[in-house]
Amino acid sequence: MTSPYTNDLEKWLRSHANKGNAISMEAYMKNNFPFLGIRNPERVALTKQFTKEHGFPKGEEGIRIAQELWQLPEREFAYTAILVLLQVRKTVNAEHIDVLEHYIVTQSWWDTVDTIADHLIGFHLQRFPELIPAYVEKWLASNNMWLQRTAILFQLKYKKKTDVQLLFHCIKTMAHSKEFFIRKAIGWALREYSKTDAEAVESFVANTALSPLSVREALKVIHKKFAEH
């Protein structure tokens, strides 16, 4: 049975649906998901308005409500579920990694996976680093592209705290992949780390067989800085 909180939030968001926007938003997402047609800034504002009146669910209630929202068909509810998960991320236990993993492998597309990988799983694994070896290896060995992408991207915001050897290991493990989203993730992760250690990234790219897409993405910041001098 769905909680009253979720029912009220669902009704609130549905009351602001825009069919015209929905068509273009669905097209942008390759028609993988239906949309209400509420663009991101408006959806965030509407959610803030709702939570100002009803409060933000915390702890186990927040986790349950996020799951209820995730099960609704329109994509905006998945985005709202992620907002709820962001509110509870500092208080969840180590086993919550399995909940986050579930979100990576259901209704999967870059728009949800990347936020979960970076802002939720990346944050969680900083709190519980003992989980990293087993889970990262499991994700890399899986046949799920989105779990593999998560293994590459979860350290995006780590900067100087990046486990560089692990990052390079993940990339080498997946370097053979023909998947666009894996090749793009490799380039993105390297580009982000190049802001911390450009020399290490240049050396790695020079000595590793990567796709042209990955190389191009990896060296964007480095090339831009070089062009400016």
Side-chain angles (χ1 to χ4, degrees):
M1 187 176 173
T2 308
S3 68
Y5 187 99
T6 304
N7 286 334
D8 289 344
L9 181 51
E10 179 187 359
K11 286 175 190 171
W12 172 245
L13 291 177
R14 286 194 186 283
S15 71
H16 293 83
N18 182 313
K19 287 186 179 179
N21 286 346
I23 292 168
S24 60
M25 292 167 80
E26 287 166 8
Y28 181 68
M29 285 296 164
K30 310 291 186 188
N31 294 304
N32 281 312
F33 312 98
F35 276 79
L36 294 173
I38 307 172
R39 299 198 186 281
N40 190 55
E42 185 189 0
R43 178 182 53 76
V44 172
L46 288 169
T47 306
K48 281 183 179 176
Q49 200 175 335
F50 182 87
T51 56
K52 191 174 181 180
E53 183 180 343
H54 298 269
F56 234 119
K58 295 180 175 64
E60 288 300 319
E61 184 196 8
I63 294 168
R64 187 177 72 254
I65 284 166
Q67 181 60 26
E68 290 173 354
L69 290 167
W70 193 264
Q71 290 170 343
L72 295 169
E74 291 85 3
R75 199 60 167 169
E76 287 90 343
F77 294 116
Y79 302 154
T80 307
I82 291 171
L83 278 181
V84 174
L85 290 169
L86 286 168
Q87 290 295 316
V88 302
R89 67 179 184 166
K90 293 180 180 178
T91 59
V92 293
N93 59 26
E95 288 71 31
H96 185 65
I97 188 67
D98 295 322
V99 175
L100 297 176
E101 188 180 79
H102 166 76
Y103 287 118
I104 292 290
V105 298
T106 56
Q107 301 189 52
S108 311
W109 200 243
W110 64 265
D111 58 328
T112 54
V113 167
D114 292 356
T115 306
I116 296 164
D118 179 359
H119 296 284
L120 289 170
I121 286 179
F123 183 87
H124 193 76
L125 293 180
Q126 278 192 311
R127 289 184 67 217
F128 303 103
E130 68 276 9
L131 299 173
I132 291 174
Y135 276 88
V136 170
E137 287 306 321
K138 181 177 79 162
W139 296 339
L140 290 173
S142 75
N143 289 319
N144 187 292
M145 172 181 69
W146 301 109
L147 287 175
Q148 292 166 340
R149 184 171 165 99
T150 297
I152 296 166
L153 294 180
F154 81 91
Q155 296 191 85
L156 267 185
K157 295 286 190 294
Y158 283 21
K159 298 181 181 178
K160 289 182 179 179
K161 293 180 180 177
T162 300
D163 182 334
V164 186
Q165 294 311 310
L166 177 61
L167 173 63
F168 289 169
H169 164 67
C170 290
I171 290 169
K172 284 179 179 177
T173 302
M174 297 309 305
H176 66 282
S177 175
K178 299 287 193 290
E179 290 285 358
F180 169 83
F181 285 111
I182 296 297
R183 291 181 166 188
K184 190 83 170 175
I186 287 170
W188 185 12
L190 289 171
R191 183 174 75 244
E192 201 60 31
Y193 188 62
S194 76
K195 298 172 187 177
T196 299
D197 190 342
E199 194 175 320
V201 170
E202 279 190 293
S203 175
F204 178 78
V205 170
N207 292 287
T208 310
L210 299 172
S211 71
L213 170 62
S214 296
V215 172
R216 190 166 61 249
E217 291 291 326
L219 299 178
K220 268 184 180 177
V221 171
I222 293 170
H223 286 168
K224 186 179 178 184
K225 285 184 178 177
F226 181 80
E228 287 170 353
H229 288 84

